Amino acid sequence: AQSVTQPDIHITVSEGASLELRCNYSYGATPYLFWYVQSPGQGLQLLLKYFSGDTLVQGIKGFEAEFKRSQSSFNLRKPSVHWSDAAEYFCAVGSNYQLIWGAGTKLIIKP
Amino acid sequence: DTAVSQTPKYLVTQMGNDKSIKCEQNLGHDTMYWYKQDSKKFLKIMFSYNNKELIINETVPNRFSPKSPDKAHLNLHINSLELGDSAVYFCASSQEVGILGVGENTGELFFGEGSRLTVL
């Protein structure tokens, strides 16, 4: 069965520190992978996506993610977080017609 | 100019009532969706419409009835509300019906801000 796992329910990092949010997937075919961010009280916004090609994908707001087929992972990274990055982050894997979502990771920023 | 707008943003009602949530998108997209986000932030797709035609209908009680009067609108009507219906409901739209389109925004969903439904 297709599934997406985000092992960390919440992560706390200091402002200016680096960030890595983990995402593992189980999917039978070539995955189409996404990271979305949900700021408090807002809808979700696409950060980046991977369909094919270069396995290191650049997104908005200084985020990047790396697709590792051997590890079935698509981890999200940012070299230096800002207080405005505090939000819920969702990983998703796409079949042709719909997305399967992870449970989300809440990012908390310490001043 | 809001791309995907939902109303109302908050809705508090009693069990057994009927309520509707409206959604409109001004992006010119062909496909619209309703998602339910529970208290644990888990997102689950409920319905998807493409050009007013239902294409995804997940296992949702038939108390939930989507209506798409035109491709820019997708409303959600809920009959006989139950406590378990309390959640945030998100409307979303996408340029194409599938992930594997060819446009710049292929695979991207554009979400509304959500409608928080509380059933007492």
Side-chain angles (χ1 to χ4, degrees):
Chain A
Q2 302 160 8
S3 66
V4 177
T5 303
Q6 293 180 246
D8 304 304
I9 297 173
H10 52 81
I11 280 186
T12 302
V13 300
S14 298
E15 191 170 13
S18 63
L19 170 70
E20 182 168 32
L21 300 182
R22 295 183 290 164
C23 173
N24 293 97
Y25 65 89
S26 171
Y27 194 72
T30 302
Y32 302 92
L33 297 159
F34 304 80
W35 274 100
Y36 279 80
V37 60
Q38 183 181 18
S39 297
Q42 301 294 313
L44 284 76
Q45 180 186 21
L46 180 70
L47 281 175
L48 46 79
K49 62 186 178 187
Y50 171 79
F51 278 16
S52 64
D54 193 345
T55 56
L56 184 62
V57 180
Q58 300 299 319
I60 63 171
K61 306 187 182 193
F63 285 92
E64 66 178 27
E66 186 171 12
F67 170 56
K68 293 185 178 179
R69 185 185 297 276
S70 61
Q71 298 177 20
S72 296
S73 69
F74 188 55
N75 294 347
L76 182 71
R77 300 194 294 246
K78 186 169 184 178
S80 176
V81 297
H82 185 262
W83 64 266
S84 60
D85 293 324
E88 192 91 24
Y89 291 80
F90 292 91
C91 179
V93 61
S95 64
N96 195 30
Y97 289 102
Q98 58 176 303
L99 296 177
I100 300 161
W101 297 85
T105 297
K106 183 173 183 176
L107 175 62
I108 301 164
I109 307 294
K110 284 193 303 186
Chain B
D1 221 14
T2 306
V4 181
S5 58
Q6 304 177 220
T7 54
K9 193 164 183 177
Y10 299 97
L11 190 51
V12 181
T13 189
Q14 299 286 333
M15 261 187 359
N17 284 350
D18 304 337
K19 289 294 177 186
S20 292
I21 306 172
K22 295 186 176 181
C23 179
E24 175 182 4
Q25 54 96 1
N26 62 6
L27 298 167
H29 288 168
D30 287 341
T31 309
M32 296 184 71
Y33 310 78
W34 276 111
Y35 277 87
K36 180 180 179 181
Q37 186 177 48
D38 63 23
S39 58
K40 295 184 179 177
K41 298 285 190 175
F42 184 69
L43 268 170
K44 182 175 169 54
I45 190 165
M46 302 172 70
F47 302 103
S48 175
Y49 271 72
N50 176 254
N51 269 322
K52 304 193 296 177
E53 183 180 334
L54 182 66
I55 57 170
I56 294 175
N57 184 356
E58 291 297 303
T59 309
V60 175
N62 58 15
R63 298 180 295 103
F64 290 79
S65 52
K67 291 269 186 338
S68 182
D70 55 61
K71 74 173 193 176
H73 295 84
L74 180 61
N75 304 324
L76 183 66
H77 187 75
I78 315 170
N79 289 327
S80 303
L81 279 157
E82 300 177 357
L83 293 176
D85 298 332
S86 295
V88 181
Y89 292 85
F90 284 101
C91 177
S93 71
S94 64
Q95 191 168 10
E96 292 137 346
V97 67
I99 299 287
L100 304 179
V102 295
E104 179 183 307
N105 295 324
T106 292
E108 180 171 0
L109 296 178
F110 292 79
F111 283 82
E113 293 187 345
S115 298
R116 181 176 292 278
L117 172 64
T118 304
V119 182
L120 302 175

